[in-house]
Amino acid sequence: MKRSFTLFNLAILVLLFSSPGHAQNEANIWYFGTNAGMDFNGGNPVPLTNGQLNTFEGCATIADASTGQLLFYTDGSTVYNRNHMLMTNGNGLLGSFSSTQSSIIVPHPGQTNLFYIIAADDVAGPNGVTYSIVDMNQSGGFGAVTATKNVSLLGVGTEKLTTACHGNGTDYWVITHGWNSSDFYAWQVGLTGLNPTPVISTSGSFHGTSSFNTLGELEVSPDASRIALCTWYGTINEVFDFNNNTGVVSNAISLTATGEDYGCAFSPDGSKVYYVSCCASPNNVVQYDLNAGTPAQVNASRTVISSTTLARGHAQIGPDGRVYIARYLQADIAVIDNPNAAGAACNYTEIGFNLGGRISQLGLPNMVSCLIIIFDLEFITFHGERQDQGAIDLYWEAVEERQQGEYVVERSPDGAYFYPIGEVPFRGKGEVVAARTYTDADPLPGSNYYRIRFVNANGENSVSEVLEIQPEQDLHASITVSPNPVPDQLQLQIAIPETSTGNWEVELIAADGKLVRHLSLGSLAPGRFQRQFDVRRLSPGYYYLRVRNGQATAVQSLVKQ
């Protein structure tokens, strides 16, 4: 017999997945550097030459979630609409074109016309971190910066500014690092707006001493489980765990710095992190394998991918799953074609993408990391069962397209940081619903949290919701179901303990979570209870038989022939 428990209530064993809360075309248009731009809407990028930005470093762009067409862009101080004109009330923002991450644009959850522009001053300047709101319904649909403008979030900060998707699938986190401190600040943006009270985490190195230590990129992995940063001049390269449910940053890993490291980026699958040094020879692009093991083993995985005298800057994942790297005052930017691959197999190309006559400086658009990778596999169901021997069986169904890839089964002890425990390969045969299974033979004690990550041949990711398998509990009943699979008649036996009180309930649940049949047994005397059910009218398939007595629950999986 197998016992099954699920998220929160030990009851429904199927989680249904609709489209994620965050659409994924917002990152399809980029404007940066000296009038440079890129359009990813066709899959492979093409250069854009109509941009108005002339920014030394930071910038941000946002496109329509459905169409991928430009909405507006900014260098942190000036905002341009989709006609490349100054947006109404769009000047005088308190970011700086000379801040590493001068700005980032965050959609307002639940209000498709509203966006937050978060801005950061340069070199620990007095404007710190501020926010302004854009309403796209104003100015005839071309948008305007509202009266909510230059609202202070942090008095003095660094040039580090990033965002992450919240674990609830709807909200966002806005994240920065404090100045003269080891503190991270994370503000939640939800349905009611931006909460001005941050979650403050103290972790990792002290950022202070020289104002040049404010420079350098801060990035969140696409699955929002990790954060990476570097400080130009400060020789600090670090990776942290990030809990996108609580906003807490923890577990710093210090990595060897080349010197004057400026940019950093995760691979789409989160297994690698890249650091880019800027303005002192040699200027390196370095890869670390975050799955190497201990912090010492991660450090030992350090691989120099490229070394040159040319200054390079911001690193950014593109919607095509590649990592792009700014090359200072050049007409081309560098590209890492396969950033999930180890070492030279990542395929770094120095002159990787031509900007069509425009010029790169040090910055690329600052993006919400989880909105970048556009591939989205549709998970239909995801549930799990705990076997008598303690192993946990996982089952899921997904709409598989005609492509190759693999499912990576990931586990967590607390639902914060997930790590891979196994792989399930597949070869898609078209728009079909395919069922997949995996057994965790040695689960953790206590609760186990699981999610399924799909990675296709291009390195693009899609991640399921999180399933919690709770620890076994002392139930008031043990149940026996026979035969299983069942053709016509199902026999249920319940061992009723002496301590039994209250009414007993039996429920038959279909695989999609729909209640098929309910029977109230009333109060049962201690001993063995036996009941037979006629199931001839049930459609063949997968079901669950759930027995309840008060708060205690026992569940048995069932196959109808």
Side-chain angles (χ1 to χ4, degrees):
M1 182 182 72
K2 296 180 180 179
R3 297 180 297 278
S4 304
F5 309 97
T6 62
L7 187 62
F8 301 126
N9 60 8
L10 305 182
I12 302 300
L13 300 182
V14 179
L15 296 179
L16 299 180
F17 301 112
S18 57
S19 59
H22 305 294
Q24 292 179 305
N25 289 312
E26 290 95 331
N28 283 8
I29 301 292
W30 292 12
Y31 285 103
F32 57 95
T34 303
N35 310 119
M38 300 170 69
D39 183 344
F40 289 88
N41 280 298
N44 291 320
V46 296
L48 295 172
T49 58
N50 53 358
Q52 296 301 301
L53 285 186
N54 186 359
T55 178
F56 178 43
E57 298 179 75
C59 51
T61 311
I62 191 78
D64 182 85
S66 299
T67 67
Q69 299 306 302
L70 175 68
L71 294 179
F72 61 94
Y73 55 103
T74 181
D75 60 1
S77 57
T78 303
V79 187
Y80 296 92
N81 64 25
R82 65 179 179 272
N83 278 347
H84 309 285
M85 305 292 292
L86 176 68
M87 179 177 280
T88 302
N89 196 29
N91 56 359
L93 273 64
L94 296 181
S96 169
F97 77 101
S98 187
S99 176
T100 307
Q101 292 170 292
S102 67
S103 52
I104 195 163
I105 301 166
V106 182
H108 190 308
Q111 299 191 47
T112 57
N113 60 305
L114 297 182
F115 297 84
Y116 288 88
I117 298 177
I118 317 297
D121 203 354
D122 61 354
V123 290
N127 293 323
V129 179
T130 56
Y131 75 88
S132 305
I133 295 179
V134 169
D135 185 350
M136 288 303 299
N137 286 345
Q138 296 189 26
S139 298
F142 287 94
V145 177
T146 68
T148 303
K149 183 177 181 180
N150 293 331
V151 179
S152 179
L153 287 173
L154 184 64
V156 178
T158 62
E159 296 185 6
K160 295 171 171 58
L161 185 62
T162 190
T163 60
C165 287
H166 194 286
N168 62 19
T170 301
D171 298 356
Y172 300 89
W173 294 102
V174 174
I175 309 162
T176 192
H177 196 286
W179 175 238
N180 276 330
S181 77
S182 302
D183 294 338
F184 288 87
Y185 296 79
W187 293 270
Q188 187 171 346
V189 181
L191 295 174
T192 59
L194 190 153
N195 184 347
T197 302
V199 175
I200 301 175
S201 307
T202 302
S203 186
S205 299
F206 181 85
H207 291 211
T209 309
S210 168
S211 60
F212 289 117
N213 287 347
T214 66
L215 280 65
E217 199 171 342
L218 175 68
E219 284 294 328
V220 176
S221 62
D223 68 353
S225 69
R226 278 176 162 159
I227 286 181
L229 63 77
C230 54
T231 60
W232 186 80
Y233 194 78
T235 62
I236 298 172
N237 286 358
E238 290 177 321
V239 174
F240 306 80
D241 290 343
F242 179 66
N243 187 324
N244 70 333
N245 291 301
T246 65
V248 172
V249 181
S250 61
N251 299 327
I253 298 177
S254 180
L255 302 175
T256 303
T258 297
E260 299 195 7
D261 291 293
Y262 181 93
C264 60
F266 288 93
S267 60
D269 67 358
S271 68
K272 311 294 188 299
V273 64
Y274 294 85
Y275 286 92
V276 180
S277 56
C278 175
C279 307
S281 183
N283 292 316
N284 291 340
V285 177
V286 178
Q287 180 198 79
Y288 290 89
D289 183 354
L290 297 175
N291 290 339
T294 66
Q297 290 169 321
V298 172
N299 249 312
S301 72
R302 182 179 187 269
T303 303
V304 177
I305 301 300
S306 171
S307 184
T308 180
T309 59
L310 179 71
R312 290 174 289 199
H314 197 119
Q316 179 63 66
I317 300 177
D320 57 357
R322 299 180 176 96
V323 170
Y324 293 84
I325 298 174
R327 302 171 69 240
Y328 183 52
L329 297 181
Q330 302 300 305
D332 305 86
I333 58 178
V335 180
I336 302 175
D337 283 317
N338 302 301
N340 294 328
C346 74
N347 193 22
Y348 177 88
T349 304
E350 183 67 32
I351 303 177
F353 180 82
N354 185 273
L355 298 174
R358 304 309 190 197
I359 300 298
S360 167
Q361 297 202 43
L362 288 179
L364 292 174
N366 199 9
M367 296 287 187
V368 182
S369 60
C370 58
L371 299 182
I372 297 173
I373 304 301
I374 62 174
F375 179 74
D376 183 30
L377 184 78
E378 182 182 0
F379 287 90
I380 305 299
T381 64
F382 183 23
H383 61 274
E385 295 181 340
R386 188 183 291 275
Q387 299 178 3
D388 282 338
Q389 298 82 4
I392 293 175
D393 293 330
L394 301 175
Y395 306 87
W396 66 94
E397 292 180 319
V399 179
E400 294 181 355
E401 299 177 357
R402 194 176 302 277
Q403 57 186 311
Q404 297 184 31
E406 64 183 7
Y407 296 100
V408 180
V409 181
E410 299 180 332
R411 185 176 68 192
S412 170
D414 57 4
Y417 172 65
F418 287 80
Y419 56 92
I421 61 170
E423 298 175 352
V424 178
F426 83 93
R427 186 186 185 95
K429 298 180 180 180
E431 293 282 345
V432 297
V433 176
R436 304 291 172 181
T437 63
Y438 179 84
T439 297
D440 183 2
D442 189 22
L444 302 171
S447 289
N448 285 255
Y449 296 80
Y450 297 94
R451 68 184 184 191
I452 308 299
R453 178 189 300 279
F454 172 77
V455 184
N456 71 7
N458 294 325
E460 299 168 326
N461 284 242
S462 187
V463 183
S464 75
E465 297 285 350
V466 174
L467 172 69
E468 178 189 0
I469 305 295
Q470 296 186 355
E472 296 184 75
Q473 298 184 359
D474 292 328
L475 303 176
H476 293 294
S478 60
I479 64 175
T480 303
V481 175
S482 62
N484 192 7
V486 56
D488 300 318
Q489 301 293 323
L490 172 69
Q491 183 158 303
L492 168 67
Q493 292 186 2
I494 310 174
I496 311 297
E498 294 288 339
T499 56
S500 171
T501 60
N503 293 327
W504 289 79
E505 310 284 335
V506 177
E507 296 171 330
L508 188 64
I509 302 165
D512 62 1
K514 182 180 179 180
L515 180 64
V516 176
R517 189 176 300 178
H518 173 266
L519 179 64
S520 178
L521 303 178
S523 179
L524 298 178
R528 182 168 297 279
F529 172 85
Q530 184 170 303
R531 186 72 172 263
Q532 194 169 60
F533 299 90
D534 188 335
V535 295
R536 285 176 292 182
R537 294 185 179 181
L538 285 182
S539 299
Y542 198 72
Y543 295 83
Y544 302 97
L545 191 71
R546 179 169 62 198
V547 178
R548 294 178 180 271
N549 178 230
Q551 296 300 313
T553 304
V555 179
Q556 169 67 55
S557 60
L558 177 69
V559 176
K560 172 64 174 66
Q561 290 182 332

